[in-house]
Amino acid sequence: MSNEGRGPGPVVVEGVLERITYANEESGYTVARVDTGRGAGELLTVVGALLGAQPGESLRMEGRWGSHPQYGRQFTVDDYTTLLPATIQGIRRYLGSGLVKGIGPVFADRITRHFGLDTLDILEESPARLIEVPGLGPKRTGNITAAWVEQKAIKEVMVFLQGVGVSTSIAVRIYKKYEDASISVVRNRPYRLAADVWGIGFLTADKIAQSVGIPHDSPERVKAGLQYALSQSSDQGHCFLPEERLIADAVKLLQVDTGLVIDCLAELAADPEGVVRETVPGPEGTPVTAVYLIPFHRAELSLAGQLRRLLRAEEDRLPGFRDVAWDKALGWLADRTGASLAPEQEEAVRLALTRKVAVLTGGPGCGKSFTVRSVVELARARKAKVVLAAPTGRAAKRLAELTGAEASTVHRLLELKPGGDAAYDRDRPLDADLIVVDEASMLDLLLANKLVKAVAPGAHLLLVGDVDQLPSVGAGEVLGDLLAPGSPVPAVRLTRIFRQAQESGVVVNAHRINEGRAPQTTGLPDFFLFAEEETEDAARVAVEVAARRIPAKFGLDPRRDVQVLAPMHRGPAGAGALNGLLQQAITPARPDLPEKRFGGRVFRVGDKVTQIRNNYEKGENGIFNGTVGVVTALDAEEQRLTVRTDEDEEVPYNFDELDELAHAYAVTIHRSQGSEYPAVVIPVTTSAWMMLQRNLLYTAVTRARKLVVLVGSRRAIAQAVRTVSAGRRFTALAHRLTGATVV
């Protein structure tokens, strides 16, 4: 039904929402197809404010008619209300749309056959009668009843939030966090949302706060903005911000007077749950007033203290190596492994087995892996309890293959629990004589603190990683700080490239890049360049190379063995756009392939996906930012999708949790840290100019085991090679390790 009048008043159109073809979770802008009942299968395209509407719902939409040059006639929605369907067919479609968990098309058909037009009244007033329907047992009946009640409550919250542009998935999260108190919290304490609910940052909370009448210059708003600015800086890797920079950032963000920001910062610093101000050395060595969020200040103090405690411990859980005959031990090792250690490798082995904390660093092909294997072999020969870990599942698997012993992720080793607390800590340390952690450049401040707290006094900790790679995704620069001048932590840097590694174009070019020299891109069997000056052409070729050419020439699986690594997420050759193109090439839509549309993405069985937040509630020991897996099942009736991770764990996701997942056919180079792939394809284009840095390209190249293909412009590659990362992160760990005071 529609009123297509051309008068000044709004036009009203009613219909059943058949499918959503696009939805922007940020803005709520939606493109959908609606059945207006005209017959002949004709569907109307509607665009605009359809935030929260679900397929199967009957809608009454106000808006205006228009025309799109490509898609033709369409209706732009300014506002809508949901109508309960009035026909049996409408009710069946409404219930079968996946709106109510536990009711899919099959049970929607059975329920409506049994109750007819009374179906919705039965669900509302006498849900226990659902057990009358064949195949609906007590358990499913209970689940459907609970889902119906929750869906109604969420709907109320969404109606309230609709006016301030909050997406469906965030409304669901708000309801799950606060339940019946949702509307009260949103109305009275909106800035709590930014701290309590993942996916709501300060900007969204601020928008809500304005809509419920909180003043622009409210101290509550300014304090929330200061904490948001610090949180944003931690997302960029900083553990603190200099006070002057924080004040300037907050004034720009909040558009309020500097004096008000200074006063609110003083109040926050006086609040035990606010922020910490402390004088520390700045990047140039001159004192700065640092402002920390409390968790980062505590972690930095704790990590420095725990490391010093381990270094000074009188106990030694590897006492047999204090006075070992090293010539004899290394001779036995050479017989066992079939190779001798180079002098710098010998030094690293001795350090690991005689000092309580040690760092081993070096680039590809320099023998880090063989050195680690040698340390583990010698420790095992003395019956030591050796524990092996790495920050990612892929790195842990590689460490296990290298040493022939079990290895786990750091998260699984510590048995992190919901909320982020570890089962192992200072009061209950790990039962290990030697703990080896590979890919230690990935350890951020918070995770490194949890790990070091769990090392028993007298145990040995060996951190292994390449300090020239990008620092951790999370805040801090732990490996770099441990290797800083004056650090009390002993370290060995391997620099010699072994002969067999010199035959690898991947290894040789990684070192060339790290030294500021252009990679060699001709005449090598494992390193190629497809020169494309235009960004769109580079994107197209990168997809062609990853999805078809490499699999055809090298026999590699495009999903499992080939990884596209982009300098940034946005742009025509960014990971976001490439994922869409790669999904079309590798896992295209098929009539027999289940799929679920969520926001602007479509998830299909077979999709390669990655987790984009730490979630301590999921999986056996949490699922963490960067975990990669493949979608193995999709159940529209139970509204659940299942992912098998790289750690071979089956993890279920409810459909309202799908914003925790992103496609992973292409990922940013930052997100690839700690992972290794048989082949990588790297688009390097001038559109990513500001991101192009030496350690970025070096990290991307060192992710490849066998093959690297660069796609893009020589000018962009040259820019990456010559640009050294500008400045270090704001961290005071190196200063705290030395125990020096700031004058």
Side-chain angles (χ1 to χ4, degrees), residues 249-318:
D249 287 354
V251 168
K252 185 177 177 183
L253 168 73
L254 299 166
Q255 297 294 298
V256 295
D257 290 341
T258 304
L260 178 60
V261 172
I262 291 170
D263 291 344
C264 288
L265 179 56
E267 287 181 33
L268 271 179
D271 182 347
E273 296 181 3
V275 299
V276 174
R277 280 198 295 201
E278 185 183 350
T279 303
V280 301
E284 308 301 320
T286 53
V288 299
T289 301
V291 184
Y292 286 84
L293 289 173
I294 285 172
F296 295 103
H297 186 257
R298 284 180 182 156
E300 200 172 80
L301 280 175
S302 170
L303 178 55
Q306 300 290 349
L307 284 166
R308 291 203 305 269
R309 172 182 66 89
L310 292 177
L311 286 163
R312 294 170 184 165
E314 291 185 8
E315 309 102 300
D316 192 348
R317 294 184 60 152
L318 293 177

Side-chain angles (χ1 to χ4, degrees), residues 201-408:
F202 171 80
L203 298 179
T204 302
D206 197 35
K207 191 175 175 187
I208 295 170
Q210 287 177 41
S211 75
V212 298
I214 289 179
H216 184 73
D217 59 356
S218 157
E220 182 190 0
R221 175 175 184 264
V222 177
K223 289 176 191 175
L226 281 161
Q227 290 178 307
Y228 170 73
L230 284 173
S231 176
Q232 286 290 97
S233 74
S234 72
D235 289 345
Q236 293 159 12
H238 300 301
C239 299
F240 68 82
L241 276 183
E243 184 177 48
E244 289 181 5
R245 175 163 159 182
L246 172 61
I247 291 168
D249 287 354
V251 168
K252 185 177 177 183
L253 168 73
L254 299 166
Q255 297 294 298
V256 295
D257 290 341
T258 304
L260 178 60
V261 172
I262 291 170
D263 291 344
C264 288
L265 179 56
E267 287 181 33
L268 271 179
D271 182 347
E273 296 181 3
V275 299
V276 174
R277 280 198 295 201
E278 185 183 350
T279 303
V280 301
E284 308 301 320
T286 53
V288 299
T289 301
V291 184
Y292 286 84
L293 289 173
I294 285 172
F296 295 103
H297 186 257
R298 284 180 182 156
E300 200 172 80
L301 280 175
S302 170
L303 178 55
Q306 300 290 349
L307 284 166
R308 291 203 305 269
R309 172 182 66 89
L310 292 177
L311 286 163
R312 294 170 184 165
E314 291 185 8
E315 309 102 300
D316 192 348
R317 294 184 60 152
L318 293 177
F321 290 101
R322 285 182 189 165
D323 51 8
V324 71
W326 282 104
D327 289 348
K328 187 176 177 183
L330 295 171
W332 172 88
L333 183 67
D335 289 342
R336 185 165 175 81
T337 60
S340 296
L341 293 166
E344 56 189 12
Q345 291 177 306
E346 285 186 16
E347 184 189 352
V349 169
R350 290 185 192 190
L351 269 185
L353 296 171
T354 60
R355 300 292 294 270
K356 308 296 170 42
V357 184
V359 173
L360 172 62
T361 188
C366 290
K368 286 198 307 293
S369 296
F370 185 62
T371 307
V372 169
R373 182 183 159 196
S374 301
V375 169
V376 172
E377 290 279 3
L378 283 169
R380 276 211 201 115
R382 291 290 180 120
K383 308 295 186 206
K385 289 182 181 175
V386 181
V387 167
L388 306 171
T392 66
R394 280 180 182 248
K397 275 186 179 177
R398 193 171 69 243
L399 188 57
E401 290 163 6
L402 164 71
T403 58
E406 188 179 334
S408 71

Side-chain angles (χ1 to χ4, degrees), residues 508-687:
V508 169
N509 276 333
H511 284 275
R512 285 178 68 96
I513 291 166
N514 203 29
E515 292 159 4
R517 296 188 292 151
Q520 182 184 337
T521 56
T522 56
L524 295 171
D526 59 355
F527 202 104
F528 301 91
L529 167 65
F530 286 81
E532 296 289 345
E533 289 302 318
E534 297 299 324
T535 301
E536 288 78 2
D537 293 338
R540 178 181 49 78
V541 172
V543 170
E544 172 71 17
V545 167
R548 299 199 174 84
R549 294 198 195 186
I550 289 177
K553 182 168 182 177
F554 296 94
L556 296 174
D557 181 283
R559 190 182 285 106
R560 185 185 64 242
D561 301 328
V562 183
Q563 184 63 56
V564 177
L565 301 178
M568 57 197 293
H569 183 77
R570 297 186 177 182
L578 290 170
N579 266 315
L581 297 170
L582 286 159
Q583 185 191 37
Q584 288 174 28
I586 296 170
T587 316
R590 298 199 318 259
D592 61 330
L593 192 66
E595 64 177 43
K596 167 64 181 173
R597 183 174 294 278
F598 187 90
R601 299 193 286 268
V602 179
F603 292 98
R604 301 188 181 115
V605 171
D607 268 339
K608 184 177 182 178
V609 293
T610 182
Q611 174 82 6
I612 58 173
R613 67 170 285 222
N614 289 344
N615 187 335
Y616 298 98
E617 313 285 340
K618 297 197 81 63
E620 192 179 330
N621 293 117
I623 300 295
F624 298 93
N625 189 353
T627 299
V628 174
V630 172
V631 177
T632 54
L634 201 155
D635 188 330
E637 196 165 288
E638 292 299 324
Q639 296 184 48
R640 185 181 298 131
L641 171 154
T642 304
V643 174
R644 176 172 281 278
T645 71
D646 273 352
E647 295 176 64
D648 294 325
E649 183 179 3
E650 294 275 351
V651 181
Y653 288 80
N654 292 330
F655 283 173
D656 59 26
E657 299 175 312
L658 292 184
D659 52 355
E660 294 190 19
L661 288 177
H663 291 101
Y665 300 99
V667 298
T668 62
I669 296 166
H670 281 87
R671 293 189 69 82
S672 74
Q673 289 169 257
S675 293
E676 192 179 71
Y677 317 94
V680 300
V681 178
I682 311 167
V684 189
T685 66
T686 52
S687 66

Side-chain angles (χ1 to χ4, degrees), residues 12 99 410 413 523 564:
V12 175
L99 184 72
V410 176
L413 172 68
V564 177

